[in-house]
Amino acid sequence: MTSEARNASRSGQDFILLGFPCSREVQFLLFSIFFVTYTLTLLGNTVIVCAVHGDRRLHTPMYVLLANFSFLEICYVNSDVPNMLANLLSQTKTISFARCLLQLYFFFSLGTTECLFLSIMAYDRFLAICRPLHYPTVMTIKFCVRLVIFCWVYGFLWFLIPVILVTQLPFCGPNVIDDFLCDLGPLLALASACVPIPGTVLICGTMSSLLIFATFLYIIGSYSLVVWVVVQVPSRAGRKKAFSTCCSHLAVVFLFYGSVMMTYVSPGSGQAEGMQKFTTLFYSVLTPFFNPMIYSLRNKEMKAALKKILGGS
């Protein structure tokens, strides 16, 4: 950390994001790896959005939700990766208080929206497999659009209270965050070093845990019912087709929630410093990177649409 950065942090107006403390050569290597991952993530998710938009056969609720989910992933990686890349090349590694709070709000709001989208996608698969006769009348495009709007609006409203509470916290410096983004845990730890804030920690922890557990249990409950129905399907081909429509979604769910729970549900004191940084990196950078491959490789209709949009046969 340079003396310029230390002086900036002591002023109380800036934070220092340590990111990945290592030699300049290793930081350039990390920059190259993350830049390629970021670029491929944008391309992969953009192709899915364009494929759904350009193929009328995919204008169904399931694919409308998938296209919105891919657009969400584009927004999600843009909330933290560009700043992380700039941080790897920066000497001071500082971020202003206002930018830090803005990143915190968008990062967590988009994460909340992702939890809601995964729940809605589980509801869609539950209806399609467990209530196939009611599916066309219940899950109409109009109702699907309402669900999409609900996810986006509610996702950006849920985390307003924690962010407002963070703006009221004292930061007496040096404001050094051992992470690559303005995460909630490190910010609360910095404020706790100045004055006790048990009420704020309790409210933020409760809201995070409530969102994570409520959506995760709903998704698991939905797919438990789906599995119960599928195992009773007499034909092997029918069971295989039903499972194939859900496997990609479940893979994304476990990738996302597995790393999120390790970060925000496990007690912070019991988690190694490097482990929290790794789990945050996994669900915020790597999961959006894997999602296009998971959805396209296990879906015949999506593979056909991708071939069409990419100019294949």
Side-chain angles (χ1 to χ4, degrees):
M1 189 193 308
T2 65
S3 58
E4 181 184 350
R6 290 194 187 94
N7 292 334
S9 73
R10 289 195 185 100
S11 70
Q13 301 301 314
D14 294 322
F15 292 94
I16 297 172
L17 295 174
L18 291 182
F20 304 94
C22 50
S23 65
R24 294 298 296 172
E25 292 77 12
V26 175
Q27 289 198 351
F28 278 119
L29 176 62
L30 290 175
F31 175 86
S32 302
I33 293 172
F34 291 143
F35 180 76
V36 171
T37 303
Y38 172 65
T39 303
L40 292 176
T41 301
L42 294 181
L43 288 174
N45 285 286
T46 300
V47 166
I48 287 182
V49 173
C50 294
V52 174
H53 181 267
D55 193 330
R56 295 190 63 85
R57 294 172 299 176
L58 301 184
H59 292 181
T60 62
M62 184 178 79
Y63 291 106
V64 169
L65 292 173
L66 176 58
N68 274 272
F69 187 74
S70 293
F71 177 71
L72 169 64
E73 296 291 54
I74 294 171
C75 298
Y76 199 32
V77 294
N78 277 314
S79 70
D80 64 311
V81 176
N83 187 76
M84 179 181 68
L85 293 174
N87 183 275
L88 285 169
L89 300 180
S90 173
Q91 292 288 341
T92 60
K93 303 186 184 301
T94 58
I95 183 172
S96 68
F97 181 70
R99 282 183 59 205
C100 186
L101 287 180
L102 197 62
Q103 184 185 57
L104 175 72
Y105 174 66
F106 277 99
F107 181 73
F108 274 87
S109 295
L110 290 166
T112 301
T113 306
E114 180 151 348
C115 290
L116 296 174
F117 261 109
L118 289 173
S119 301
I120 296 303
M121 292 166 78
Y123 173 67
D124 174 74
R125 291 300 85 205
F126 164 77
L127 280 179
I129 295 174
C130 300
R131 302 286 187 273
L133 297 180
H134 296 88
Y135 183 79
T137 56
V138 175
M139 188 58 77
T140 61
I141 290 294
K142 186 176 181 180
F143 181 60
C144 181
V145 170
R146 288 177 180 174
L147 291 176
V148 168
I149 294 173
F150 165 79
C151 289
W152 283 102
V153 173
Y154 199 79
F156 275 80
L157 290 177
W158 179 259
F159 210 73
L160 271 177
I161 293 177
V163 170
I164 292 172
L165 291 175
V166 170
T167 62
Q168 308 303 313
L169 297 178
F171 295 99
C172 50
N175 298 330
V176 180
I177 299 175
D178 187 14
D179 211 334
F180 59 89
L181 55 81
C182 288
D183 207 349
L184 182 61
L187 286 173
L188 294 178
L190 286 178
S192 298
C194 301
V195 295
I197 52 169
T200 301
V201 173
L202 178 63
I203 292 173
C204 293
T206 300
M207 293 190 70
S208 297
S209 298
L210 181 62
L211 171 75
I212 293 169
F213 277 114
T215 53
F216 182 70
L217 290 176
Y218 177 80
I219 292 170
I220 295 301
S222 297
Y223 278 104
S224 296
L225 294 173
V226 168
V227 170
W228 175 256
V229 170
V230 170
V231 295
Q232 299 180 58
V233 174
S235 69
R236 183 178 179 182
R239 289 196 301 270
K240 184 178 179 180
K241 181 179 179 181
F243 274 124
S244 67
T245 62
C246 303
C247 284
S248 57
H249 184 202
L250 278 174
V252 172
V253 167
F254 284 115
L255 280 174
F256 179 74
Y257 277 96
S259 51
V260 165
M261 285 182 175
M262 288 183 66
T263 305
Y264 298 108
V265 177
S266 301
S269 58
Q271 191 178 55
E273 293 181 3
M275 180 58 70
Q276 178 167 343
K277 195 181 298 185
F278 173 78
T279 53
T280 303
L281 179 70
F282 190 86
Y283 76 79
S284 64
V285 179
L286 297 181
T287 301
F289 169 72
F290 288 127
N291 286 353
M293 292 183 285
I294 292 172
Y295 281 116
S296 60
L297 290 176
R298 295 195 60 89
N299 190 297
K300 293 181 180 179
E301 291 82 2
M302 180 57 66
K303 283 193 286 188
L306 291 177
K307 286 182 180 179
K308 179 181 177 182
I309 197 171
L310 294 175
S313 55

